């Protein structure tokens, strides 16, 4: 097993600096703290006893407040957070909001009551209760979506660009009536994916029509109903951009009920490269987001902020990539 001396050698600092950094001491330079955290993770170092900020009596626990625990995108984020936290002696408590502002507020209150060391959150549209975290001085990192009207460390994917690239792919395949099924209005990711879709249609000189767009919850049931509605029109879409993998399941169900086949009758591209995407018939073209990396980066930022909560807020924007499969190719 790695020792504190191994971590110090890898990070190029003293063992005393390693100890202070892993215990969240604000006297450690943020860059040094980040190096120590990275070295500890790389070496799999397990400190003796739980890390704890003795000055403020904070538990060695991070709260992760996500919007949908059933969505593989968020579970991959959770795994990234947990791997980094565990490597330096922190535990992670998982909270699921279902995009419900009241649930979000309750979980924020619990995080405060339990004196967690910091919070990672994928906020609802209102980010209910986050003001209370700021008032208490609890470090916060936002993932997937920024906090509305508040600066914080944030880890995002350039989802508007990704949606544009995915829609451009459908345009280049020759589809003429490309539709979009995205999430509720006011959610940054849902809005950005719709904006990227429209960017691509404009660039491809295709007209954007409200008749081809549906907004619903980020879940299969809502997407199934939305897709069924689209395919019941006189001029249904011949291709769809779908905003996440749960929605994609609903879309596939709607296609089957209308006896339509992806890639032959309707082109389909969905966000998130879940394990089943390459196994369905035909395999599904996806926008692969670096969910695990979002989690690891967010956890590293949060631990650095626990060490020094006076740092300027940063925004890290990661890229996504289009993985082309048969569901979006004509013929």
């Amino acid at each position: 097993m790695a020792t504190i001396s191994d971590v110090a050698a890898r990070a190029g600092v003293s063992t005393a600096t390693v100890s202070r950094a892993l215990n969240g001491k604000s006297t450690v330079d943020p860059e040094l703290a980040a190096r120590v955290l990275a070295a500890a993770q790389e070496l799999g170092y397990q400190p003796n006893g739980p890390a704890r900020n003795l000055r403020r009596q904070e538990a060695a626990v991070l709260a992760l407040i996500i919007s949908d625990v059933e969505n593989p995108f968020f579970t991959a984020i959770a795994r990234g957070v947990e791997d980094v936290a565990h490597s330096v002696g922190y535990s992670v408590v998982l909270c699921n909001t279902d995009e419900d502002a009241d649930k979000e507020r309750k979980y924020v209150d619990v995080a405060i009551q339990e004196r967690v060391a910091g919070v990672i959150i994928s906020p609802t549209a209102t980010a209910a209760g986050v003001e209370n975290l700021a008032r208490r001085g609890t470090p916060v990192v936002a993932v997937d979506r920024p906090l509305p009207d508040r600066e914080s460390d944030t880890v995002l994917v350039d989802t508007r660009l990704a949606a544009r690239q995915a829609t451009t792919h459908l345009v280049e395949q020759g589809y003429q009536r490309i539709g979009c099924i995205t999430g509720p209005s006011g959610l940054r990711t849902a809005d950005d994916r719709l904006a990227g879709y429209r960017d691509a249609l404009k660039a491809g000189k295709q007209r954007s029509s409200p008749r081809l767009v549906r907004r619903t919850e980020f879940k299969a049931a809502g997407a199934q109903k939305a897709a069924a509605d689209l395919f019941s029109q006189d001029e249904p879409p011949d291709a769809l951009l779908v905003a996440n993998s749960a929605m994609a399941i609903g879309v596939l169900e709607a296609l089957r009920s209308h006896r339509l086949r992806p890639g032959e009758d309707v082109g389909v591209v969905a966000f998130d490269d879940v394990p089943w995407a390459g196994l369905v018939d035909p395999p599904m073209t996806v926008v692969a987001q670096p969910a695990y990396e979002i989690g690891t980066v967010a956890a590293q930022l949060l631990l650095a902020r626990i060490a020094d909560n006076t740092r300027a807020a940063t925004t890290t924007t990661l890229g996504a990539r289009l993985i082309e499969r048969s569901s979006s190719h004509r013929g």
Side-chain angles (χ1 to χ4, degrees), residues 261-272:
R261 185 168 169 80
E264 293 182 9
D265 304 305
V266 180
V268 179
V269 179
F271 271 75
D272 300 327

Side-chain angles (χ1 to χ4, degrees), residues 5-317:
S5 298
D6 296 329
V7 176
R10 175 67 66 91
V13 300
S14 68
T15 55
T17 297
V18 171
S19 178
R20 290 198 304 272
L22 296 183
N23 283 282
K25 298 298 184 182
S26 60
T27 54
V28 181
D29 180 85
E31 291 186 8
L32 289 181
R35 271 168 42 197
V36 168
L37 292 168
Q41 184 183 7
E42 290 168 8
L43 294 170
Y45 172 68
Q46 297 293 320
N48 294 324
R52 182 179 296 269
N53 188 328
L54 296 175
R55 180 174 57 85
R56 296 180 59 179
Q57 290 297 304
E58 290 168 343
V61 174
L62 308 179
L64 174 59
I65 304 175
I66 58 175
S67 58
D68 185 4
V69 72
E70 293 182 335
N71 185 335
F73 172 74
F74 287 111
T75 53
I77 288 177
R79 185 55 194 254
V81 170
E82 199 273 341
D83 282 353
V84 171
H86 179 72
S87 72
V88 293
Y90 281 79
S91 299
V92 178
V93 174
L94 180 64
C95 310
N96 178 63
T97 68
D98 288 318
E99 303 287 4
D100 183 319
D102 288 337
K103 286 185 71 175
E104 181 181 67
R105 184 181 294 106
K106 289 177 182 176
Y107 280 131
V108 167
D109 289 345
V110 169
I112 292 171
Q113 291 164 12
E114 296 300 322
R115 304 187 70 82
V116 301
V119 173
I120 296 173
I121 185 170
S122 62
T124 63
T126 59
V130 173
E131 180 65 32
N132 292 335
L133 291 172
R135 190 176 298 115
R136 182 181 176 272
T138 302
V140 178
V141 174
V143 292
D144 190 45
R145 317 151 184 178
L147 291 173
D149 305 319
R150 172 167 293 281
E151 282 194 353
S152 74
D153 290 318
T154 307
V155 187
L156 308 172
V157 173
D158 193 342
T159 193
R160 180 169 181 166
L161 176 61
R164 174 172 179 156
Q165 291 170 339
T167 308
T168 297
H169 166 70
L170 291 171
V171 171
E172 291 172 346
Q173 289 296 310
Y175 294 104
Q176 297 296 313
R177 297 185 311 281
I178 302 171
C180 178
I181 298 179
T182 190
S185 179
L187 280 182
R188 171 72 174 269
T189 46
D191 293 345
D192 280 355
R193 285 167 200 181
L194 180 59
Y197 156 82
R198 288 172 171 161
D199 291 342
L201 294 185
K202 183 177 180 181
K205 297 182 171 52
Q206 289 199 20
R207 186 169 60 89
S208 174
S209 169
R211 288 172 51 82
L212 295 175
V213 174
R214 294 293 184 274
R215 305 194 72 144
T216 183
E217 59 181 352
F218 271 127
K219 293 183 180 291
Q224 182 179 12
K225 183 177 179 180
D229 185 41
L230 285 170
F231 293 130
S232 298
Q233 297 182 138
D234 291 337
E235 292 187 337
D238 61 359
L240 282 176
L241 175 67
V242 186
N244 78 2
S245 60
M247 286 178 148
I249 293 172
V251 168
L252 292 177
E253 290 172 342
L255 286 171
R256 184 174 60 181
S257 67
H258 283 74
R259 298 188 178 182
L260 298 170
R261 185 168 169 80
E264 293 182 9
D265 304 305
V266 180
V268 179
V269 179
F271 271 75
D272 300 327
D273 189 25
V274 290
W276 58 259
L279 302 176
V280 293
D281 182 23
M284 183 171 293
T285 297
V286 296
V287 176
Q289 300 189 94
Y292 180 83
E293 185 181 358
I294 292 172
T296 60
V297 171
Q300 289 165 352
L301 284 171
L302 184 60
L303 292 170
R305 184 155 293 282
I306 290 169
D308 178 11
N309 206 6
T310 65
R311 298 165 53 247
T314 64
T315 296
T316 303
T317 304

